[in-house]
Structure formats: structure tokens, C-alpha cells
């Protein structure tokens, strides 16, 4: 019998109805049945659909819907993972394990805003690899890439998680030192230079020593990323000229047995 088909039920008046019975939506039911019915519905409810309406086709449709929802949930999770992976790739330098210029400038702008808002000192250190053209010309671009990779790796291994290392150009790198004023940044920059010099690069049995010049620029109110990069670059170039006059260590390779 379909729910709501009352025409075939015998009419029972209030006087004729036996004691202990009650009228239900589907006809006359005993008090015991009225007590047990809700319990049966609670157990058999399927997405809020009463047991009486769960025909085989309805059940099959609901199970199919559950599978589809589960499939969509998995697809959404995979899409989120892919988006996160693409975002990470979009921020990385294609050759070095550091941020690319776009991501580096973005992080520097954030740090500068933080410095201006809260007065927390932070600084930019600009690095330039000395003699990279000479390395490329004498040993090939693969050697030059190894020299750059050594610099990038050394910088990343010697800064804090709160700092940011990025490749700004071909042979130029930048490091954002969070919560570091100019004096602290100068000291840290020299430590990074020493670490780079102390890590020779082995290319087919030839030891190549890499050297860098650097410039330090502390963030101040009103500065922007372009100003900071230009000023740090200018200070780096001035230091590079000073290094030339001081006869710095040669970046040229030498045999491992020398």
C-alpha cells in the first residue's frame, strides 16, 4: 500500500475504536506499533529518507550519489594539491633551490611593510658572483651553473627559516634577513661570504673556488623593493671595486692535486 492511500481502510469512529489504539498517518495502529515505529525509522533512515520510501531504485540512486560525492571530494583534494604544487613551482628559480626574482621581490615587499608598520628592523643583502663570465669561458657553462648552485645552496643552508634567499639575476642573489638591523646584517653577510669561499666546487677533478661581493641595505620607512634592490646593488658594486684593489682570492679553478 502506498503511503497516503487511505480509501481502502475501514472507517473507525471514535466510539468504535478499541481502547488502547490511536490513529496513525497510515491508518489505525496499536499503541505498541506507534511506539516501535519511530525506532524502526531511526535505524533505517538513509539520507533522511524513511524506510518506506527506499525502493530499490531509490537506494541505488542514493548509493550512486554517495559514490559521486566521494569521487568529487577526491578530485577536489587532488586539485588543491596540484594548485599548491604549481604555486610552489611558480615561486622557485628554474635552476636553483631558491626563490625566483618575482617571489623574492614579493616577500621583500611584505617584509618592508612589516618593518614600517611595527618598527622591526630587517635588511637586504645583495650578492654578486665574481668572475662568472671567466668561469663560463674557461670551463663551460656547466661549470658556471655548478658555481651558482654552490652559492645558492650555501646561502640556503646558512640562514634561518624566517629569512628568504632568492636569485635576482644571472649571477646575483639576495637574502632578506628578518629582524636584523644594519650591523647584524653586515656581520651575517660576512659569515655567508666566508661560507661560500670555504666551499670549493669540484668539477671533474678540478677544484674551483667561488668568491662573491655583497652589499647590505637596511629597510627604512618609505622604501620600496625597487629602491632597496638598486641601493643594495650600488653598495655591492662599490665593495666589488674595493675587493679588486685588495687583490681578492681568484675564482679561477686549479687542479685538485696542486
Amino acid at each position: 500500500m502506498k503511503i497516503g492511500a487511505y480509501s481502502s481502510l475501514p472507517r473507525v469512529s471514535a466510539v468504535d475504536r478499541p481502547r488502547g489504539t490511536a490513529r496513525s498517518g497510515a491508518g489505525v495502529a496499536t499503541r505498541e506499533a506507534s511506539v516501535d515505529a519511530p525506532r524502526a525509522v531511526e535505524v533505517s533512515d538513509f539520507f533522511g529518507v524513511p524506510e518506506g520510501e527506499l525502493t530499490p531504485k531509490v537506494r541505488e540512486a542514493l548509493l550512486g550519489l554517495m559514490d559521486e560525492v566521494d569521487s568529487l571530494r577526491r578530485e577536489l583534494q587532488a586539485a588543491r594539491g596540484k594548485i599548491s604544487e604549481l604555486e610552489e613551482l611558480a615561486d622557485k628559480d628554474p635552476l636553483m633551490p631558491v626563490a625566483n626574482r618575482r617571489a623574492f621581490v614579493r616577500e621583500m615587499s611584505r617584509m618592508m611593510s612589516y618593518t614600517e608598520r611595527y618598527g622591526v628592523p630587517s635588511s637586504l643583502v645583495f650578492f654578486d658572483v665574481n668572475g662568472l663570465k671567466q668561469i663560463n669561458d674557461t670551463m663551460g657553462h656547466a661549470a658556471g651553473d655548478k658555481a651558482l648552485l654552490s652559492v645558492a645552496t650555501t646561502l640556503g643552508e646558512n640562514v634561518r627559516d624566517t629569512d628568504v634567499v632568492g636569485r635576482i639575476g644571472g649571477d646575483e642573489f639576495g637574502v632578506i634577513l628578518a629582524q636584523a638591523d644594519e650591523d647584524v646584517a653586515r656581520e651575517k653577510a660576512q659569515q655567508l661570504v666566508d661560507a661560500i669561499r670555504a666551499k670549493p666546487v669540484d668539477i671533474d677533478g678540478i677544484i674551483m673556488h667561488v668568491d662573491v661581493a655583497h652589499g647590505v641595505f637596511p629597510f627604512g620607512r618609505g622604501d620600496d623593493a625597487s629602491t632597496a634592490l638598486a641601493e643594495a646593488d650600488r653598495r655591492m658594486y662599490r665593495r666589488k671595486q674595493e675587493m679588486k684593489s685588495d687583490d681578492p682570492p681568484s675564482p679561477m679553478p686549479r687542479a685538485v692535486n696542486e
Side-chain angles (χ1 to χ4, degrees):
M1 184 195 332
K2 294 182 180 180
I3 296 176
Y6 302 106
S7 57
S8 60
L9 291 177
R11 294 182 177 273
V12 180
S13 66
V15 176
D16 298 333
R17 186 182 306 121
R19 293 180 62 182
T21 64
R23 186 181 301 274
S24 68
V28 179
T30 63
R31 179 172 298 171
E32 289 77 6
S34 66
V35 172
D36 293 339
R39 185 180 303 147
V41 171
E42 290 175 2
V43 172
S44 62
D45 269 3
F46 195 85
F47 277 101
V49 180
E51 177 70 20
E53 297 185 17
L54 276 179
T55 64
K57 288 187 177 180
V58 172
R59 183 182 294 273
E60 182 180 357
L62 290 175
L63 289 173
L65 180 60
M66 287 178 62
D67 290 340
E68 185 175 352
V69 169
D70 188 53
S71 176
L72 290 174
R73 185 181 293 112
R74 290 195 301 269
E75 290 180 8
L76 178 59
Q77 184 176 2
R80 287 174 174 171
K82 189 64 176 178
I83 290 173
S84 178
E85 179 182 350
L86 291 175
E87 287 177 344
E88 185 177 356
L89 289 175
D91 285 346
K92 282 187 175 181
D93 183 86
L95 298 177
M96 308 294 154
V98 296
N100 57 25
R101 182 185 179 97
R102 181 186 65 84
F104 185 82
V105 170
R106 182 192 65 219
E107 294 304 315
M108 182 165 56
S109 297
R110 288 179 180 176
M111 185 60 68
M112 297 175 85
S113 297
Y114 186 84
T115 296
E116 184 165 359
R117 181 173 182 177
Y118 297 104
V120 178
S122 297
S123 301
L124 165 67
V125 185
F126 193 102
F127 293 93
D128 181 87
V129 180
N130 294 330
L132 183 65
K133 183 178 184 304
Q134 192 174 11
I135 294 173
N136 287 333
D137 292 343
T138 57
M139 300 190 68
H141 287 275
D145 288 344
K146 278 197 172 183
L148 293 174
L149 181 59
S150 177
V151 172
T153 303
T154 302
L155 291 176
E157 291 175 346
N158 289 275
V159 297
R160 302 163 297 177
D161 292 339
T162 53
D163 301 330
V164 181
V165 180
R167 188 182 182 191
I168 301 172
D171 59 352
E172 299 170 339
F173 294 87
V175 177
I176 302 170
L177 297 175
Q179 300 183 17
D181 59 19
E182 186 169 6
D183 290 338
V184 173
R186 286 183 182 277
E187 182 179 355
K188 182 60 179 179
Q190 188 58 52
Q191 292 175 2
L192 293 173
V193 171
D194 293 340
I196 291 171
R197 290 175 177 172
K199 186 179 180 181
V201 181
D202 187 345
I203 302 177
D204 299 329
I206 301 297
I207 296 298
M208 178 173 61
H209 292 269
V210 183
D211 195 23
V212 294
H214 71 278
V216 176
F217 180 75
F219 299 150
R221 292 187 178 277
D223 292 331
D224 57 27
S226 298
T227 301
L229 285 172
E231 181 60 23
D233 185 22
R234 187 186 68 79
R235 296 184 183 189
M236 180 278 301
Y237 182 76
R238 183 176 62 193
R239 189 173 185 85
K240 183 184 284 284
Q241 297 303 113
E242 295 173 354
M243 290 174 64
K244 287 182 179 180
S245 63
D246 293 338
D247 190 22
S250 173
M252 288 299 294
R254 65 172 182 265
V256 67
N257 58 357
E258 288 184 356

